[in-house]
PDB file of all heavy atoms in Angstrom:
ATOM      1  N   LEU A   1       0.820  -1.206   0.000  1.00 97.00           N
ATOM      2  CA  LEU A   1       0.000   0.000   0.000  1.00 97.00           C
ATOM      3  C   LEU A   1       0.856   1.260   0.000  1.00 97.00           C
ATOM      4  O   LEU A   1       1.827   1.356   0.754  1.00 97.00           O
ATOM      5  CB  LEU A   1      -0.927  -0.016   1.217  1.00 97.00           C
ATOM      6  CG  LEU A   1      -1.801  -1.273   1.307  1.00 97.00           C
ATOM      7  CD1 LEU A   1      -2.558  -1.298   2.611  1.00 97.00           C
ATOM      8  CD2 LEU A   1      -2.750  -1.350   0.130  1.00 97.00           C
ATOM      9  N   ASN A   2       0.479   2.180  -0.837  1.00 96.00           N
ATOM     10  CA  ASN A   2       1.195   3.443  -0.989  1.00 96.00           C
ATOM     11  C   ASN A   2       0.439   4.522  -0.214  1.00 96.00           C
ATOM     12  O   ASN A   2      -0.571   5.033  -0.681  1.00 96.00           O
ATOM     13  CB  ASN A   2       1.273   3.781  -2.482  1.00 96.00           C
ATOM     14  CG  ASN A   2       2.064   5.028  -2.768  1.00 96.00           C
ATOM     15  OD1 ASN A   2       2.527   5.708  -1.863  1.00 96.00           O
ATOM     16  ND2 ASN A   2       2.210   5.345  -4.044  1.00 96.00           N
ATOM     17  N   VAL A   3       0.923   4.850   0.967  1.00 97.00           N
ATOM     18  CA  VAL A   3       0.259   5.810   1.857  1.00 97.00           C
ATOM     19  C   VAL A   3       0.965   7.160   1.743  1.00 97.00           C
ATOM     20  O   VAL A   3       2.199   7.218   1.753  1.00 97.00           O
ATOM     21  CB  VAL A   3       0.288   5.305   3.319  1.00 97.00           C
ATOM     22  CG1 VAL A   3      -0.347   6.309   4.254  1.00 97.00           C
ATOM     23  CG2 VAL A   3      -0.393   3.952   3.420  1.00 97.00           C
ATOM     24  N   ARG A   4       0.174   8.222   1.635  1.00 96.00           N
ATOM     25  CA  ARG A   4       0.749   9.561   1.552  1.00 96.00           C
ATOM     26  C   ARG A   4       1.510   9.903   2.828  1.00 96.00           C
ATOM     27  O   ARG A   4       1.057   9.595   3.932  1.00 96.00           O
ATOM     28  CB  ARG A   4      -0.347  10.606   1.360  1.00 96.00           C
ATOM     29  CG  ARG A   4      -0.888  10.644  -0.018  1.00 96.00           C
ATOM     30  CD  ARG A   4      -1.781  11.832  -0.199  1.00 96.00           C
ATOM     31  NE  ARG A   4      -2.170  11.894  -1.589  1.00 96.00           N
ATOM     32  CZ  ARG A   4      -3.067  12.717  -2.058  1.00 96.00           C
ATOM     33  NH1 ARG A   4      -3.689  13.552  -1.244  1.00 96.00           N
ATOM     34  NH2 ARG A   4      -3.364  12.708  -3.333  1.00 96.00           N
ATOM     35  N   GLU A   5       2.637  10.558   2.639  1.00 95.00           N
ATOM     36  CA  GLU A   5       3.442  10.994   3.780  1.00 95.00           C
ATOM     37  C   GLU A   5       2.607  11.911   4.668  1.00 95.00           C
ATOM     38  O   GLU A   5       1.904  12.798   4.187  1.00 95.00           O
ATOM     39  CB  GLU A   5       4.693  11.715   3.285  1.00 95.00           C
ATOM     40  CG  GLU A   5       5.689  11.988   4.386  1.00 95.00           C
ATOM     41  CD  GLU A   5       7.001  12.544   3.873  1.00 95.00           C
ATOM     42  OE1 GLU A   5       7.374  12.261   2.715  1.00 95.00           O
ATOM     43  OE2 GLU A   5       7.640  13.275   4.651  1.00 95.00           O
ATOM     44  N   GLY A   6       2.678  11.671   5.960  1.00 96.00           N
ATOM     45  CA  GLY A   6       1.935  12.467   6.928  1.00 96.00           C
ATOM     46  C   GLY A   6       0.531  11.958   7.198  1.00 96.00           C
ATOM     47  O   GLY A   6      -0.159  12.475   8.072  1.00 96.00           O
ATOM     48  N   LYS A   7       0.096  10.940   6.468  1.00 97.00           N
ATOM     49  CA  LYS A   7      -1.253  10.389   6.620  1.00 97.00           C
ATOM     50  C   LYS A   7      -1.251   8.999   7.271  1.00 97.00           C
ATOM     51  O   LYS A   7      -2.270   8.326   7.323  1.00 97.00           O
ATOM     52  CB  LYS A   7      -1.948  10.296   5.249  1.00 97.00           C
ATOM     53  CG  LYS A   7      -2.138  11.627   4.569  1.00 97.00           C
ATOM     54  CD  LYS A   7      -3.125  12.481   5.326  1.00 97.00           C
ATOM     55  CE  LYS A   7      -3.422  13.778   4.589  1.00 97.00           C
ATOM     56  NZ  LYS A   7      -4.419  14.577   5.295  1.00 97.00           N
ATOM     57  N   GLU A   8      -0.102   8.594   7.774  1.00 96.00           N
ATOM     58  CA  GLU A   8       0.048   7.242   8.304  1.00 96.00           C
ATOM     59  C   GLU A   8      -0.915   6.928   9.451  1.00 96.00           C
ATOM     60  O   GLU A   8      -1.521   5.858   9.476  1.00 96.00           O
ATOM     61  CB  GLU A   8       1.504   7.004   8.754  1.00 96.00           C
ATOM     62  CG  GLU A   8       2.510   7.057   7.632  1.00 96.00           C
ATOM     63  CD  GLU A   8       3.017   8.457   7.306  1.00 96.00           C
ATOM     64  OE1 GLU A   8       2.570   9.450   7.941  1.00 96.00           O
ATOM     65  OE2 GLU A   8       3.877   8.570   6.408  1.00 96.00           O
ATOM     66  N   GLN A   9      -1.043   7.846  10.402  1.00 96.00           N
ATOM     67  CA  GLN A   9      -1.924   7.608  11.556  1.00 96.00           C
ATOM     68  C   GLN A   9      -3.372   7.417  11.114  1.00 96.00           C
ATOM     69  O   GLN A   9      -4.055   6.503  11.566  1.00 96.00           O
ATOM     70  CB  GLN A   9      -1.835   8.771  12.547  1.00 96.00           C
ATOM     71  CG  GLN A   9      -0.509   8.875  13.266  1.00 96.00           C
ATOM     72  CD  GLN A   9      -0.391   7.856  14.371  1.00 96.00           C
ATOM     73  OE1 GLN A   9       0.530   7.066  14.357  1.00 96.00           O
ATOM     74  NE2 GLN A   9      -1.278   7.863  15.323  1.00 96.00           N
ATOM     75  N   GLU A  10      -3.845   8.305  10.243  1.00 97.00           N
ATOM     76  CA  GLU A  10      -5.215   8.199   9.743  1.00 97.00           C
ATOM     77  C   GLU A  10      -5.416   6.895   8.975  1.00 97.00           C
ATOM     78  O   GLU A  10      -6.430   6.216   9.135  1.00 97.00           O
ATOM     79  CB  GLU A  10      -5.551   9.376   8.822  1.00 97.00           C
ATOM     80  CG  GLU A  10      -5.673  10.704   9.523  1.00 97.00           C
ATOM     81  CD  GLU A  10      -5.896  11.820   8.518  1.00 97.00           C
ATOM     82  OE1 GLU A  10      -6.989  11.871   7.922  1.00 97.00           O
ATOM     83  OE2 GLU A  10      -4.954  12.614   8.319  1.00 97.00           O
ATOM     84  N   PHE A  11      -4.443   6.573   8.126  1.00 97.00           N
ATOM     85  CA  PHE A  11      -4.509   5.343   7.349  1.00 97.00           C
ATOM     86  C   PHE A  11      -4.613   4.131   8.264  1.00 97.00           C
ATOM     87  O   PHE A  11      -5.447   3.251   8.051  1.00 97.00           O
ATOM     88  CB  PHE A  11      -3.285   5.215   6.435  1.00 97.00           C
ATOM     89  CG  PHE A  11      -3.114   3.836   5.890  1.00 97.00           C
ATOM     90  CD1 PHE A  11      -3.891   3.386   4.843  1.00 97.00           C
ATOM     91  CD2 PHE A  11      -2.196   2.956   6.456  1.00 97.00           C
ATOM     92  CE1 PHE A  11      -3.757   2.099   4.352  1.00 97.00           C
ATOM     93  CE2 PHE A  11      -2.052   1.678   5.974  1.00 97.00           C
ATOM     94  CZ  PHE A  11      -2.833   1.242   4.917  1.00 97.00           C
ATOM     95  N   GLU A  12      -3.754   4.072   9.282  1.00 97.00           N
ATOM     96  CA  GLU A  12      -3.775   2.922  10.189  1.00 97.00           C
ATOM     97  C   GLU A  12      -5.131   2.775  10.862  1.00 97.00           C
ATOM     98  O   GLU A  12      -5.634   1.661  11.010  1.00 97.00           O
ATOM     99  CB  GLU A  12      -2.668   3.044  11.239  1.00 97.00           C
ATOM    100  CG  GLU A  12      -1.290   2.774  10.672  1.00 97.00           C
ATOM    101  CD  GLU A  12      -0.191   2.826  11.723  1.00 97.00           C
ATOM    102  OE1 GLU A  12      -0.490   2.743  12.944  1.00 97.00           O
ATOM    103  OE2 GLU A  12       0.989   2.946  11.321  1.00 97.00           O
ATOM    104  N   GLY A  13      -5.744   3.872  11.259  1.00 97.00           N
ATOM    105  CA  GLY A  13      -7.058   3.804  11.887  1.00 97.00           C
ATOM    106  C   GLY A  13      -8.104   3.200  10.963  1.00 97.00           C
ATOM    107  O   GLY A  13      -8.860   2.305  11.357  1.00 97.00           O
ATOM    108  N   VAL A  14      -8.141   3.673   9.726  1.00 97.00           N
ATOM    109  CA  VAL A  14      -9.116   3.154   8.751  1.00 97.00           C
ATOM    110  C   VAL A  14      -8.818   1.696   8.428  1.00 97.00           C
ATOM    111  O   VAL A  14      -9.716   0.849   8.392  1.00 97.00           O
ATOM    112  CB  VAL A  14      -9.109   4.019   7.471  1.00 97.00           C
ATOM    113  CG1 VAL A  14      -9.999   3.414   6.393  1.00 97.00           C
ATOM    114  CG2 VAL A  14      -9.553   5.443   7.778  1.00 97.00           C
ATOM    115  N   MET A  15      -7.547   1.378   8.211  1.00 97.00           N
ATOM    116  CA  MET A  15      -7.168   0.022   7.816  1.00 97.00           C
ATOM    117  C   MET A  15      -7.404  -0.975   8.944  1.00 97.00           C
ATOM    118  O   MET A  15      -7.875  -2.090   8.699  1.00 97.00           O
ATOM    119  CB  MET A  15      -5.691   0.016   7.395  1.00 97.00           C
ATOM    120  CG  MET A  15      -5.227  -1.246   6.735  1.00 97.00           C
ATOM    121  SD  MET A  15      -6.038  -1.521   5.149  1.00 97.00           S
ATOM    122  CE  MET A  15      -6.506  -3.213   5.388  1.00 97.00           C
ATOM    123  N   LEU A  16      -7.099  -0.594  10.172  1.00 98.00           N
ATOM    124  CA  LEU A  16      -7.305  -1.511  11.293  1.00 98.00           C
ATOM    125  C   LEU A  16      -8.791  -1.749  11.556  1.00 98.00           C
ATOM    126  O   LEU A  16      -9.182  -2.852  11.949  1.00 98.00           O
ATOM    127  CB  LEU A  16      -6.593  -0.995  12.546  1.00 98.00           C
ATOM    128  CG  LEU A  16      -5.060  -1.036  12.461  1.00 98.00           C
ATOM    129  CD1 LEU A  16      -4.443  -0.359  13.673  1.00 98.00           C
ATOM    130  CD2 LEU A  16      -4.548  -2.453  12.290  1.00 98.00           C
ATOM    131  N   ASP A  17      -9.617  -0.737  11.307  1.00 97.00           N
ATOM    132  CA  ASP A  17     -11.062  -0.914  11.415  1.00 97.00           C
ATOM    133  C   ASP A  17     -11.550  -1.919  10.364  1.00 97.00           C
ATOM    134  O   ASP A  17     -12.325  -2.824  10.674  1.00 97.00           O
ATOM    135  CB  ASP A  17     -11.775   0.424  11.252  1.00 97.00           C
ATOM    136  CG  ASP A  17     -13.283   0.287  11.357  1.00 97.00           C
ATOM    137  OD1 ASP A  17     -13.770  -0.110  12.442  1.00 97.00           O
ATOM    138  OD2 ASP A  17     -13.977   0.565  10.363  1.00 97.00           O
ATOM    139  N   LEU A  18     -11.070  -1.758   9.135  1.00 97.00           N
ATOM    140  CA  LEU A  18     -11.436  -2.704   8.080  1.00 97.00           C
ATOM    141  C   LEU A  18     -10.958  -4.108   8.437  1.00 97.00           C
ATOM    142  O   LEU A  18     -11.711  -5.079   8.303  1.00 97.00           O
ATOM    143  CB  LEU A  18     -10.851  -2.273   6.736  1.00 97.00           C
ATOM    144  CG  LEU A  18     -11.019  -3.274   5.590  1.00 97.00           C
ATOM    145  CD1 LEU A  18     -12.496  -3.574   5.323  1.00 97.00           C
ATOM    146  CD2 LEU A  18     -10.318  -2.764   4.338  1.00 97.00           C
ATOM    147  N   ALA A  19      -9.728  -4.246   8.891  1.00 98.00           N
ATOM    148  CA  ALA A  19      -9.186  -5.565   9.235  1.00 98.00           C
ATOM    149  C   ALA A  19     -10.024  -6.242  10.312  1.00 98.00           C
ATOM    150  O   ALA A  19     -10.289  -7.445  10.230  1.00 98.00           O
ATOM    151  CB  ALA A  19      -7.731  -5.437   9.680  1.00 98.00           C
ATOM    152  N   ALA A  20     -10.464  -5.487  11.308  1.00 98.00           N
ATOM    153  CA  ALA A  20     -11.303  -6.054  12.375  1.00 98.00           C
ATOM    154  C   ALA A  20     -12.614  -6.585  11.791  1.00 98.00           C
ATOM    155  O   ALA A  20     -13.083  -7.670  12.172  1.00 98.00           O
ATOM    156  CB  ALA A  20     -11.575  -5.016  13.449  1.00 98.00           C
ATOM    157  N   LYS A  21     -13.200  -5.848  10.865  1.00 98.00           N
ATOM    158  CA  LYS A  21     -14.457  -6.285  10.243  1.00 98.00           C
ATOM    159  C   LYS A  21     -14.256  -7.506   9.365  1.00 98.00           C
ATOM    160  O   LYS A  21     -15.081  -8.419   9.352  1.00 98.00           O
ATOM    161  CB  LYS A  21     -15.071  -5.127   9.460  1.00 98.00           C
ATOM    162  CG  LYS A  21     -15.585  -4.036  10.377  1.00 98.00           C
ATOM    163  CD  LYS A  21     -16.062  -2.818   9.621  1.00 98.00           C
ATOM    164  CE  LYS A  21     -16.557  -1.766  10.609  1.00 98.00           C
ATOM    165  NZ  LYS A  21     -16.771  -0.473   9.993  1.00 98.00           N
ATOM    166  N   VAL A  22     -13.161  -7.526   8.618  1.00 98.00           N
ATOM    167  CA  VAL A  22     -12.856  -8.696   7.788  1.00 98.00           C
ATOM    168  C   VAL A  22     -12.683  -9.926   8.678  1.00 98.00           C
ATOM    169  O   VAL A  22     -13.282 -10.978   8.433  1.00 98.00           O
ATOM    170  CB  VAL A  22     -11.592  -8.466   6.931  1.00 98.00           C
ATOM    171  CG1 VAL A  22     -11.126  -9.760   6.274  1.00 98.00           C
ATOM    172  CG2 VAL A  22     -11.845  -7.384   5.884  1.00 98.00           C
ATOM    173  N   ASN A  23     -11.881  -9.798   9.716  1.00 97.00           N
ATOM    174  CA  ASN A  23     -11.604 -10.936  10.594  1.00 97.00           C
ATOM    175  C   ASN A  23     -12.846 -11.418  11.340  1.00 97.00           C
ATOM    176  O   ASN A  23     -12.971 -12.607  11.619  1.00 97.00           O
ATOM    177  CB  ASN A  23     -10.468 -10.594  11.558  1.00 97.00           C
ATOM    178  CG  ASN A  23      -9.130 -10.514  10.845  1.00 97.00           C
ATOM    179  OD1 ASN A  23      -8.780 -11.369  10.054  1.00 97.00           O
ATOM    180  ND2 ASN A  23      -8.385  -9.458  11.109  1.00 97.00           N
ATOM    181  N   ALA A  24     -13.777 -10.531  11.629  1.00 97.00           N
ATOM    182  CA  ALA A  24     -14.998 -10.901  12.359  1.00 97.00           C
ATOM    183  C   ALA A  24     -16.100 -11.456  11.457  1.00 97.00           C
ATOM    184  O   ALA A  24     -16.942 -12.216  11.924  1.00 97.00           O
ATOM    185  CB  ALA A  24     -15.533  -9.688  13.111  1.00 97.00           C
ATOM    186  N   ASN A  25     -16.076 -11.088  10.174  1.00 97.00           N
ATOM    187  CA  ASN A  25     -17.223 -11.383   9.317  1.00 97.00           C
ATOM    188  C   ASN A  25     -16.946 -12.236   8.082  1.00 97.00           C
ATOM    189  O   ASN A  25     -17.871 -12.505   7.321  1.00 97.00           O
ATOM    190  CB  ASN A  25     -17.855 -10.060   8.850  1.00 97.00           C
ATOM    191  CG  ASN A  25     -18.406  -9.271  10.005  1.00 97.00           C
ATOM    192  OD1 ASN A  25     -19.340  -9.691  10.667  1.00 97.00           O
ATOM    193  ND2 ASN A  25     -17.818  -8.107  10.261  1.00 97.00           N
ATOM    194  N   GLU A  26     -15.708 -12.636   7.873  1.00 98.00           N
ATOM    195  CA  GLU A  26     -15.387 -13.400   6.674  1.00 98.00           C
ATOM    196  C   GLU A  26     -14.742 -14.738   7.059  1.00 98.00           C
ATOM    197  O   GLU A  26     -13.524 -14.843   7.157  1.00 98.00           O
ATOM    198  CB  GLU A  26     -14.449 -12.599   5.770  1.00 98.00           C
ATOM    199  CG  GLU A  26     -15.061 -11.331   5.225  1.00 98.00           C
ATOM    200  CD  GLU A  26     -14.155 -10.601   4.254  1.00 98.00           C
ATOM    201  OE1 GLU A  26     -13.352 -11.251   3.550  1.00 98.00           O
ATOM    202  OE2 GLU A  26     -14.245  -9.361   4.198  1.00 98.00           O
ATOM    203  N   PRO A  27     -15.567 -15.764   7.250  1.00 97.00           N
ATOM    204  CA  PRO A  27     -15.017 -17.055   7.668  1.00 97.00           C
ATOM    205  C   PRO A  27     -14.065 -17.687   6.641  1.00 97.00           C
ATOM    206  O   PRO A  27     -13.211 -18.481   7.018  1.00 97.00           O
ATOM    207  CB  PRO A  27     -16.254 -17.927   7.878  1.00 97.00           C
ATOM    208  CG  PRO A  27     -17.346 -17.253   7.136  1.00 97.00           C
ATOM    209  CD  PRO A  27     -17.021 -15.794   7.114  1.00 97.00           C
ATOM    210  N   GLY A  28     -14.175 -17.306   5.376  1.00 98.00           N
ATOM    211  CA  GLY A  28     -13.280 -17.843   4.353  1.00 98.00           C
ATOM    212  C   GLY A  28     -11.945 -17.130   4.281  1.00 98.00           C
ATOM    213  O   GLY A  28     -11.065 -17.527   3.522  1.00 98.00           O
ATOM    214  N   CYS A  29     -11.786 -16.075   5.083  1.00 98.00           N
ATOM    215  CA  CYS A  29     -10.517 -15.348   5.146  1.00 98.00           C
ATOM    216  C   CYS A  29      -9.791 -15.804   6.409  1.00 98.00           C
ATOM    217  O   CYS A  29     -10.235 -15.538   7.520  1.00 98.00           O
ATOM    218  CB  CYS A  29     -10.756 -13.838   5.168  1.00 98.00           C
ATOM    219  SG  CYS A  29      -9.228 -12.883   5.217  1.00 98.00           S
ATOM    220  N   HIS A  30      -8.678 -16.485   6.235  1.00 98.00           N
ATOM    221  CA  HIS A  30      -7.934 -17.047   7.365  1.00 98.00           C
ATOM    222  C   HIS A  30      -6.891 -16.077   7.933  1.00 98.00           C
ATOM    223  O   HIS A  30      -6.428 -16.260   9.055  1.00 98.00           O
ATOM    224  CB  HIS A  30      -7.259 -18.347   6.947  1.00 98.00           C
ATOM    225  CG  HIS A  30      -8.233 -19.387   6.515  1.00 98.00           C
ATOM    226  ND1 HIS A  30      -9.087 -20.023   7.386  1.00 98.00           N
ATOM    227  CD2 HIS A  30      -8.518 -19.893   5.284  1.00 98.00           C
ATOM    228  CE1 HIS A  30      -9.840 -20.887   6.733  1.00 98.00           C
ATOM    229  NE2 HIS A  30      -9.522 -20.812   5.453  1.00 98.00           N
ATOM    230  N   LEU A  31      -6.520 -15.073   7.147  1.00 98.00           N
ATOM    231  CA  LEU A  31      -5.530 -14.092   7.620  1.00 98.00           C
ATOM    232  C   LEU A  31      -5.773 -12.782   6.891  1.00 98.00           C
ATOM    233  O   LEU A  31      -5.910 -12.766   5.662  1.00 98.00           O
ATOM    234  CB  LEU A  31      -4.103 -14.568   7.324  1.00 98.00           C
ATOM    235  CG  LEU A  31      -2.971 -13.609   7.720  1.00 98.00           C
ATOM    236  CD1 LEU A  31      -2.809 -13.556   9.226  1.00 98.00           C
ATOM    237  CD2 LEU A  31      -1.664 -14.022   7.063  1.00 98.00           C
ATOM    238  N   TYR A  32      -5.843 -11.708   7.641  1.00 98.00           N
ATOM    239  CA  TYR A  32      -5.967 -10.362   7.066  1.00 98.00           C
ATOM    240  C   TYR A  32      -5.307  -9.423   8.058  1.00 98.00           C
ATOM    241  O   TYR A  32      -5.903  -9.014   9.053  1.00 98.00           O
ATOM    242  CB  TYR A  32      -7.440  -9.993   6.862  1.00 98.00           C
ATOM    243  CG  TYR A  32      -7.643  -8.821   5.931  1.00 98.00           C
ATOM    244  CD1 TYR A  32      -7.725  -9.002   4.557  1.00 98.00           C
ATOM    245  CD2 TYR A  32      -7.755  -7.527   6.428  1.00 98.00           C
ATOM    246  CE1 TYR A  32      -7.921  -7.935   3.696  1.00 98.00           C
ATOM    247  CE2 TYR A  32      -7.949  -6.448   5.585  1.00 98.00           C
ATOM    248  CZ  TYR A  32      -8.034  -6.659   4.219  1.00 98.00           C
ATOM    249  OH  TYR A  32      -8.236  -5.590   3.366  1.00 98.00           O
ATOM    250  N   LYS A  33      -4.029  -9.137   7.836  1.00 98.00           N
ATOM    251  CA  LYS A  33      -3.237  -8.373   8.805  1.00 98.00           C
ATOM    252  C   LYS A  33      -2.474  -7.245   8.128  1.00 98.00           C
ATOM    253  O   LYS A  33      -1.830  -7.440   7.103  1.00 98.00           O
ATOM    254  CB  LYS A  33      -2.218  -9.272   9.507  1.00 98.00           C
ATOM    255  CG  LYS A  33      -2.824 -10.357  10.367  1.00 98.00           C
ATOM    256  CD  LYS A  33      -3.467  -9.778  11.591  1.00 98.00           C
ATOM    257  CE  LYS A  33      -4.034 -10.873  12.475  1.00 98.00           C
ATOM    258  NZ  LYS A  33      -4.768 -10.343  13.608  1.00 98.00           N
ATOM    259  N   LEU A  34      -2.539  -6.068   8.746  1.00 98.00           N
ATOM    260  CA  LEU A  34      -1.746  -4.929   8.314  1.00 98.00           C
ATOM    261  C   LEU A  34      -0.357  -5.065   8.925  1.00 98.00           C
ATOM    262  O   LEU A  34      -0.218  -5.290  10.130  1.00 98.00           O
ATOM    263  CB  LEU A  34      -2.398  -3.622   8.773  1.00 98.00           C
ATOM    264  CG  LEU A  34      -1.626  -2.339   8.449  1.00 98.00           C
ATOM    265  CD1 LEU A  34      -1.498  -2.145   6.943  1.00 98.00           C
ATOM    266  CD2 LEU A  34      -2.297  -1.138   9.107  1.00 98.00           C
ATOM    267  N   CYS A  35       0.657  -4.911   8.098  1.00 98.00           N
ATOM    268  CA  CYS A  35       2.050  -4.996   8.549  1.00 98.00           C
ATOM    269  C   CYS A  35       2.797  -3.753   8.075  1.00 98.00           C
ATOM    270  O   CYS A  35       2.474  -3.179   7.042  1.00 98.00           O
ATOM    271  CB  CYS A  35       2.721  -6.242   7.969  1.00 98.00           C
ATOM    272  SG  CYS A  35       1.886  -7.778   8.374  1.00 98.00           S
ATOM    273  N   LYS A  36       3.798  -3.364   8.852  1.00 97.00           N
ATOM    274  CA  LYS A  36       4.601  -2.179   8.543  1.00 97.00           C
ATOM    275  C   LYS A  36       6.066  -2.569   8.618  1.00 97.00           C
ATOM    276  O   LYS A  36       6.512  -3.142   9.613  1.00 97.00           O
ATOM    277  CB  LYS A  36       4.278  -1.076   9.558  1.00 97.00           C
ATOM    278  CG  LYS A  36       4.922   0.251   9.284  1.00 97.00           C
ATOM    279  CD  LYS A  36       4.417   1.252  10.317  1.00 97.00           C
ATOM    280  CE  LYS A  36       5.014   2.609  10.124  1.00 97.00           C
ATOM    281  NZ  LYS A  36       4.518   3.562  11.144  1.00 97.00           N
ATOM    282  N   ASP A  37       6.831  -2.246   7.561  1.00 95.00           N
ATOM    283  CA  ASP A  37       8.249  -2.602   7.565  1.00 95.00           C
ATOM    284  C   ASP A  37       9.077  -1.510   8.248  1.00 95.00           C
ATOM    285  O   ASP A  37       8.552  -0.459   8.638  1.00 95.00           O
ATOM    286  CB  ASP A  37       8.749  -2.926   6.152  1.00 95.00           C
ATOM    287  CG  ASP A  37       8.750  -1.723   5.209  1.00 95.00           C
ATOM    288  OD1 ASP A  37       8.878  -0.572   5.666  1.00 95.00           O
ATOM    289  OD2 ASP A  37       8.639  -1.950   3.983  1.00 95.00           O
ATOM    290  N   SER A  38      10.359  -1.752   8.404  1.00 94.00           N
ATOM    291  CA  SER A  38      11.235  -0.829   9.135  1.00 94.00           C
ATOM    292  C   SER A  38      11.378   0.523   8.442  1.00 94.00           C
ATOM    293  O   SER A  38      11.742   1.505   9.078  1.00 94.00           O
ATOM    294  CB  SER A  38      12.613  -1.457   9.349  1.00 94.00           C
ATOM    295  OG  SER A  38      13.220  -1.736   8.097  1.00 94.00           O
ATOM    296  N   GLY A  39      11.061   0.582   7.155  1.00 92.00           N
ATOM    297  CA  GLY A  39      11.133   1.836   6.413  1.00 92.00           C
ATOM    298  C   GLY A  39       9.817   2.601   6.400  1.00 92.00           C
ATOM    299  O   GLY A  39       9.709   3.651   5.771  1.00 92.00           O
ATOM    300  N   GLY A  40       8.802   2.075   7.077  1.00 92.00           N
ATOM    301  CA  GLY A  40       7.507   2.742   7.133  1.00 92.00           C
ATOM    302  C   GLY A  40       6.536   2.328   6.050  1.00 92.00           C
ATOM    303  O   GLY A  40       5.460   2.902   5.937  1.00 92.00           O
ATOM    304  N   GLY A  41       6.903   1.331   5.234  1.00 95.00           N
ATOM    305  CA  GLY A  41       6.016   0.849   4.176  1.00 95.00           C
ATOM    306  C   GLY A  41       4.982  -0.119   4.729  1.00 95.00           C
ATOM    307  O   GLY A  41       5.250  -0.847   5.687  1.00 95.00           O
ATOM    308  N   TYR A  42       3.797  -0.111   4.131  1.00 98.00           N
ATOM    309  CA  TYR A  42       2.699  -0.959   4.591  1.00 98.00           C
ATOM    310  C   TYR A  42       2.371  -2.052   3.592  1.00 98.00           C
ATOM    311  O   TYR A  42       2.384  -1.821   2.385  1.00 98.00           O
ATOM    312  CB  TYR A  42       1.432  -0.123   4.782  1.00 98.00           C
ATOM    313  CG  TYR A  42       1.501   0.857   5.915  1.00 98.00           C
ATOM    314  CD1 TYR A  42       1.858   2.175   5.681  1.00 98.00           C
ATOM    315  CD2 TYR A  42       1.194   0.468   7.217  1.00 98.00           C
ATOM    316  CE1 TYR A  42       1.902   3.093   6.716  1.00 98.00           C
ATOM    317  CE2 TYR A  42       1.245   1.380   8.259  1.00 98.00           C
ATOM    318  CZ  TYR A  42       1.600   2.694   8.001  1.00 98.00           C
ATOM    319  OH  TYR A  42       1.645   3.590   9.021  1.00 98.00           O
ATOM    320  N   VAL A  43       2.057  -3.231   4.117  1.00 98.00           N
ATOM    321  CA  VAL A  43       1.489  -4.313   3.322  1.00 98.00           C
ATOM    322  C   VAL A  43       0.351  -4.939   4.117  1.00 98.00           C
ATOM    323  O   VAL A  43       0.340  -4.894   5.347  1.00 98.00           O
ATOM    324  CB  VAL A  43       2.512  -5.414   2.932  1.00 98.00           C
ATOM    325  CG1 VAL A  43       3.635  -4.861   2.072  1.00 98.00           C
ATOM    326  CG2 VAL A  43       3.051  -6.129   4.133  1.00 98.00           C
ATOM    327  N   VAL A  44      -0.604  -5.480   3.387  1.00 98.00           N
ATOM    328  CA  VAL A  44      -1.638  -6.304   4.001  1.00 98.00           C
ATOM    329  C   VAL A  44      -1.373  -7.722   3.542  1.00 98.00           C
ATOM    330  O   VAL A  44      -1.242  -7.988   2.340  1.00 98.00           O
ATOM    331  CB  VAL A  44      -3.064  -5.852   3.607  1.00 98.00           C
ATOM    332  CG1 VAL A  44      -4.097  -6.795   4.194  1.00 98.00           C
ATOM    333  CG2 VAL A  44      -3.316  -4.435   4.082  1.00 98.00           C
TER     334      VAL A  44
END
């Protein structure tokens, strides 16, 4: 995911909310996790 500089906090809030909904409501999804690398890059 390509997140605009300075928008990381807002992005994490929206993404973590989505991840919680995916994990609670999608039994066919076994893993849905937001990860952040040491350089500040995000992947799901």
